[in-house]
Amino acid sequence: MLTVALDAVTTAAMLFIIAAGLLIVFGVMKIINFAHAAFLTVGAYAALVGAHLNLPWFLVLPLAFVAGALCGGVTEIVIVRRLYKRPLDAILATWGLGIVLGQLITLMFGREVQFVQAPISGTVHLFGADYSAYRLVMIVAAVILGLLFTGLLNGTRLGLSTKAVIMNEMLAQGLGVDSSRVRLITFALGSGLAALSGALITPLSSVDPNMGVPWLIGAFMLVMVSGGSLLALAGSCAVLGTLQVLVSTFVNPILGGLTIAICAAIVLRIRPEGFARA
Amino acid sequence: MPPLIVPALLVALAAAVILVAPLLLDTYLVNILVRACFVAIAAITVDIMWGYCGTLTFGQSAFFGIGAYALAIMFTEYGFGTWQIFAAIGAAVAVAAAVAAFTGWLSFYPGSTPLYASVISLVVPIVLVQILYSGGTFTGSSSGLVGFESFDLEIETWLRLAGLGLLATAVLALVVMRSDTGRLLSALRDNDSRCTYLGIDTSRLRIVVLVLSAIVSALAGFFYAGFGAVAAPENASFAFGTNLVIMVALGGRGTVIGPVIGALCIEVASAYLANSLPYVWELIVGLALIIVILVFPDGLLGAVMRLVKRGRSAVATTILQPAIAATAVSNPDAVAIEVRALGKHYGSLAVLDGVQFTAYRGELLSLVGPNGAGKTTLIRCLSDGRERSTGNVAIAGHDIARLPPDRVVRFGLGRKFQTASVFETLTVAECLRVARTHADPPALTSRSATLALPPAAMSVVERSGLGERLDEEARNLSHGLKQALELAMVLSLEPDVLLLDEPTAGLTRAERQGFADILTTLARRDRLCILLVEHDLDFVREISSRIIVLHQGRLALDGSVDEVVNSELVREIYTGQHVSHAEVPA
């Protein structure tokens, strides 16, 4: 029972880490970045390369972040920027980019499944149960990420500009906010976070060119349900992540994998604003 | 009819090619082409959903897969035979239609966004594939169903049948999409909310289109599986669904022919290249998709067609005629709008509070007040039953309850938006025809040459000069003409109540005067009740029969033009002097 509870919390933390980057892009640009899964994979392979080079873990994570942010920055300038007025085309183009990145990774690294050693191995004895130490690290990572984000949005000039763009882009432009710069930084940041999340989850899952795709739908739905609010995202990850773990454990794992998508779809149908104003 | 000769010849030519082709091609290519034809049929359904209706869908593969599995499961469980064929077709159609109806219910409701519908369309194949995986021997799990007896036909016959099936689907799709009904679907894509405010239940329309295209896609999948005697989870997967979208995007969305060419080319090319150039082929497809979307948004065929069309000017063909006059106004002074204790709150912030007034037919009522007084919010609350927080609204004697705008419109309400809201890619005549959907249901297979308009709409069309530009696309009109077009569209509904939100903003003096004349005629002669939001007090003074002042969410004044214009409050509001809240009579 305790293991299930810990599973629920750590799953929610992982979902939060993965969906956070998607959320800020959705919040600012009102598009879903379909290349998110590919950026996540880029981060995972960055971690793999780092591990082969015997880099210490605290260097691997920034490396993954930078790799993702660079990909994201270039994507924003070359593709997304030109499609502001055509949001559906923008998601289709990012999907095309996802295909391209996936195939490039396959050509460079092969399609076989690879593994990365966790920096912290073994189990921790917690409340009378042994639990994977690295999974617990996910909770810490999610909390740090959430706090960093809140700080960034509420405590910096960039955060202020970003909030202005989210609320009223035209007005923000009129007040001298360089909204295309805000969009560029947001997209790079979101992509960097995707890669960071990829690097963070690699020790728990295998690395392969399509590893990001299974996470994609869950992350999409969580972001839609959260409607651009970080707090709502944390809440939806907690609720839907717990449901997923419960269904996987007690009903059947395949149904568990679909829980988030189905529940989120039904929540959105009944309550179109999702959990955003709950 | 001479204009039909060329298309008829083209269809005959295509049919001849399909019948002869199997004799000239090698078996491997014929094999690929048969599958490609069925995939192309599914691509046409994606084009209708996306290119014409504006819903980007990744889910058509799910219906294709349902068709494939209906056949495979039936033939595996009960063997091959006549009744099994019909039962399998029935099951394919029924299940696909049911799943599509449910998906449609999830995706399309008043207020749903296109992005949301796209994401739902992505969920459907993923859920279906997981169900197939967990179906054990019934669905063959991850390896699918093979080894059942299926149609015993020569491969050449298969290609002829598949090719003719594709041709028939394409011709049918083209005919319907070019008909008045097809234009209605394009109107949905261009401007969903304008459609809603023309009394069209857009959600239901989208669901109907989804169900029909799901059935076609399921039939394509049915024969695809029948040909190969295999049904695999890949046939239903979201990867296949996105491939269909890529085919449509590359070929040219909204053209029917483009997606067919895209599907055939990609299917044949993948069959030859996927083995010799693994990964690189998919890389090329991904790059091609990005480039086409950035550079040729309407795909390769769209780009070619634009080159051909350049230089060819539109030929005026539409003839205006008066609609049979609706029954004469029975009670020219009846109550048109009745608002009781209306309130609108966002949390603790009250945007409107206790607003109460009655308006009669033949009145031209102006709603004035400073920015942020709640004028536009009030208009929204009158036209959309779900907007207000408290109170009651009745339009022409009907309580609007919590009804969505398309239902409120049917009580006799017409709303013109602040910025001209028309269908950009439709011609003026098509825009007006869409507005007449409720009175003249659009033809399914043909385009009408005539356009019947009620007198009020007709007079706006004639006075504004739109009458000479009926066959021009709305996006090419000036701002003033777009405003006039939207007004004519709203009047085509033959409303009893007309809501106008700053209709004269950005108009020239002459256009403004024309507008004033039109409005006064509508109120006096046609006995419409007009509620006008306006900032320009001179304009208001000139045309109004009564003025309502809204201030800080409350109804501050309600009286004749002289009473209101000369009141202390209005002078203070408009000269910018502070009026404390306490002094405002509620």
Side-chain angles (χ1 to χ4, degrees), chain A residues 29-201:
Chain A
M29 305 164 105
K30 303 288 174 285
I31 62 162
I32 290 275
N33 174 19
F34 273 45
H36 194 75
F39 292 144
L40 186 146
T41 314
V42 166
Y45 276 88
L48 188 72
V49 171
H52 283 311
L53 296 174
N54 285 322
L55 289 179
W57 192 245
F58 64 84
L59 277 181
V60 167
L61 292 182
L63 177 78
F65 180 82
V66 170
L70 277 179
C71 287
V74 173
T75 307
E76 206 279 339
I77 292 169
V78 176
I79 300 175
V80 182
R81 176 164 297 187
R82 292 154 209 272
L83 300 173
Y84 282 168
K85 298 225 166 78
R86 297 188 271 144
L88 287 185
D89 283 6
I91 61 175
L92 202 52
T94 54
W95 175 252
L97 178 73
I99 297 176
V100 170
L101 284 177
Q103 300 309 318
L104 282 177
I105 289 172
T106 312
L107 287 170
M108 282 160 70
F109 295 94
R111 50 182 326 190
E112 60 274 8
V113 174
Q114 305 186 54
F115 295 94
V116 175
Q117 197 66 45
I120 305 165
S121 54
T123 57
V124 174
H125 196 70
L126 201 67
F127 309 121
D130 286 324
Y131 199 74
S132 153
Y134 193 75
R135 280 189 78 97
L136 295 173
V137 171
M138 292 292 115
I139 303 175
V140 180
V143 170
I144 293 177
L145 198 65
L147 289 178
L148 270 181
F149 247 104
T150 316
L152 192 67
L153 268 182
N154 295 325
T156 66
R157 177 136 198 100
L158 176 69
L160 188 65
S161 306
T162 308
K163 282 202 281 191
V165 172
I166 292 175
M167 283 174 198
N168 188 338
E169 177 156 2
M170 296 288 269
L171 183 63
Q173 278 174 343
L175 293 173
V177 173
D178 183 350
S179 73
S180 65
R181 191 171 141 264
V182 170
R183 284 164 170 270
L184 173 62
I185 295 174
T186 308
F187 202 84
L189 205 62
S191 312
L193 276 174
L196 181 68
S197 68
L200 277 169
I201 63 166

Side-chain angles (χ1 to χ4, degrees), chain A residues 26 32 79 86 88-89 92-93 95-97 99-100 103 106 111 217 220-221 224 254 258 265 268-269 272, chain B residues 50 56 105-106 109 115-116 119-120 122 126 130 134 238 242 245 253 279 282-283 286-287 290 293 297:
Chain A
F26 179 69
I32 290 275
I79 300 175
R86 297 188 271 144
L88 287 185
D89 283 6
L92 202 52
W95 175 252
L97 178 73
I99 297 176
V100 170
Q103 300 309 318
T106 312
R111 50 182 326 190
I217 291 296
F220 282 175
M221 297 311 282
M224 303 285 299
I254 290 180
L258 300 174
L268 282 168
R269 178 61 179 85
Chain B
W50 180 36
L56 177 56
W105 176 80
L106 273 180
Y109 52 86
L115 180 63
Y116 169 70
V119 173
I120 293 291
L122 207 59
I126 288 177
Q130 293 302 327
S134 51
F238 111 97
T242 50
V245 174
R253 66 184 94 155
Y279 315 126
E282 278 121 77
L283 188 73
L287 276 177
I290 298 175
I293 288 191

Side-chain angles (χ1 to χ4, degrees), chain B residues 246-461:
Chain B
I246 291 174
M247 291 163 185
V248 175
L250 294 185
R253 66 184 94 155
T255 61
V256 177
I257 305 294
V260 170
I261 296 172
L264 294 179
C265 291
I266 289 189
E267 279 292 298
V268 172
S270 334
Y272 281 100
L273 295 178
N275 291 324
S276 53
L277 292 171
Y279 315 126
V280 176
W281 163 243
E282 278 121 77
L283 188 73
I284 295 171
V285 171
L287 276 177
L289 175 65
I290 298 175
I291 292 169
V292 162
I293 288 191
L294 286 176
V295 187
F296 311 109
D298 13 346
L300 299 176
L301 188 69
V304 173
M305 277 181 22
R306 218 181 312 154
L307 278 179
V308 177
K309 255 189 194 162
R310 197 175 288 170
R312 210 198 284 171
S313 62
V315 193
T317 50
T318 311
I319 304 156
L320 276 180
Q321 65 179 47
I324 301 140
T327 44
V329 180
S330 53
N331 186 355
D333 299 307
V335 172
I337 311 176
E338 175 120 46
V339 179
R340 288 281 160 266
L342 180 102
K344 168 77 180 172
H345 315 285
Y346 294 102
S348 60
L349 175 73
V351 180
L352 290 174
D353 188 23
V355 174
Q356 191 147 326
F357 66 92
T358 307
Y360 301 88
R361 301 190 69 142
E363 269 196 301
L364 211 163
L365 194 61
S366 286
L367 187 59
V368 301
N371 280 326
K375 302 186 296 289
T376 302
T377 309
L378 175 58
I379 295 275
R380 263 213 308 276
C381 290
L382 295 184
S383 51
D384 185 344
R386 298 158 306 169
E387 282 284 338
R388 68 187 187 282
S389 312
T390 54
N392 292 305
V393 175
I395 298 294
H398 304 273
D399 183 4
I400 70 167
R402 293 283 163 198
L403 295 173
D406 59 285
R407 299 284 306 281
V408 178
V409 165
R410 280 180 242 164
F411 293 150
L413 178 120
R415 176 181 176 194
K416 200 202 144 307
F417 290 94
Q418 191 164 357
T419 46
S421 169
V422 294
F423 305 115
E424 299 280 329
T425 67
L426 268 58
T427 66
V428 170
E430 287 165 349
C431 287
L432 290 165
R433 186 165 289 124
V434 169
R436 292 289 292 166
T437 299
H438 68 293
D440 308 316
L444 195 58
T445 54
S446 65
R447 284 179 117 152
S448 328
T450 56
L451 172 64
L453 290 180
M458 186 76 102
S459 80
V460 172
V461 168

Side-chain angles (χ1 to χ4, degrees), chain B residues 43-197:
Chain B
I44 291 176
T45 68
V46 172
D47 191 32
I48 288 170
M49 290 293 297
W50 180 36
Y52 288 93
C53 299
T55 311
L56 177 56
T57 170
F58 299 98
Q60 290 304 106
S61 56
F63 308 117
F64 193 85
I66 286 172
Y69 272 90
L71 175 136
I73 291 173
M74 188 62 77
F75 291 179
T76 307
E77 299 285 319
Y78 300 100
F80 180 79
T82 313
W83 76 262
Q84 289 91 335
I85 296 175
F86 285 105
I89 289 187
V93 169
V95 175
V99 173
F102 179 69
T103 311
W105 176 80
L106 273 180
S107 312
F108 309 119
Y109 52 86
S112 71
T113 63
L115 180 63
Y116 169 70
S118 276
V119 173
I120 293 291
S121 80
L122 207 59
V123 171
V124 177
I126 288 177
V127 171
L128 181 66
V129 167
Q130 293 302 327
I131 292 172
L132 292 175
Y133 275 152
S134 51
T137 52
F138 188 63
T139 59
S141 196
S142 61
S143 49
L145 288 170
V146 282
F148 51 84
E149 192 193 346
S150 184
F151 304 99
D152 183 24
L153 296 172
E154 296 280 323
I155 193 164
E156 287 78 17
T157 316
W158 266 112
L159 182 55
R160 289 184 182 120
L161 291 177
L164 291 177
L166 172 60
L167 183 64
T169 313
V171 169
L172 182 70
L174 270 176
V175 167
V176 174
M177 288 306 129
R178 290 185 176 184
S179 71
D180 291 339
T181 305
R183 303 318 286 168
L184 176 59
L185 297 183
S186 300
L188 218 60
R189 173 195 65 201
D190 277 5
N191 194 336
D192 194 289
S193 79
R194 180 72 269 173
C195 282
T196 308
Y197 279 95

